[in-house]
């Protein structure tokens, strides 16, 4: 995934982050794929966000995960279950126990994706401390 997926287009991300309550003002004006790789069932990417206007504590990066093309139905179903987890269980879990979920979606055609808090900086700090 070297190009930005349509689910992470700037206008769409602006709306997603507003709904999640992390972007009051300003807007996402650019999204760049910083890193990307395939896993057994998914494609994951760290997306760097550029904003226009004052944005306060809006995230500089998000973690995007979606189904990988060409996997069979059994593996796609696992991804849909992960979306259900973030939609239901994670939403009811106390803050800071799990990455914050900005969006968990399954399209009518079964295609799924997650937009999560990027914890790269947190894990880098832990590796330096620990």
């Amino acid at each position: 995934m070297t190009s930005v997926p349509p689910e992470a287009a700037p206008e769409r991300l602006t709306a997603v982050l507003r709904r999640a309550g992390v972007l009051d003002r300003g807007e996402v004006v650019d999204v760049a794929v910083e890193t990307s790789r395939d896993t057994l069932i998914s494609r994951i990417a760290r997306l760097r966000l550029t904003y226009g206007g004052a944005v306060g504590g809006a995230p500089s990066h998000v973690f995007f995960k979606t189904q990988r093309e060409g996997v069979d139905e059994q593996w796609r179903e696992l991804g849909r279950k992960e979306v259900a987890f973030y939609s239901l269980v994670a939403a009811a879990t106390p803050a800071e126990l799990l990455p914050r979920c900005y969006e968990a979606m399954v399209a009518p055609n079964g295609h799924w994706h997650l937009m999560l808090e990027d914890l790269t900086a947190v894990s880098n700090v832990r590796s330096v401390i620990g």
Side-chain angles (χ1 to χ4, degrees), residues 15-33:
V16 166
L17 296 175
R18 284 195 201 293
R19 276 194 308 272
V22 296
L23 181 62
D24 294 331
R25 294 183 229 125
E27 63 186 348
V28 178
V29 295
D30 188 51
V31 179
V33 177

Side-chain angles (χ1 to χ4, degrees), residues 3 12 25 27 41 53 65 84-85 95 103 113 118 125 129:
S3 61
R12 190 160 188 301
R25 294 183 229 125
E27 63 186 348
I41 66 168
K65 184 174 184 178
F85 171 83
E103 183 174 61
H113 73 268
D118 175 49
V125 168
I129 294 172

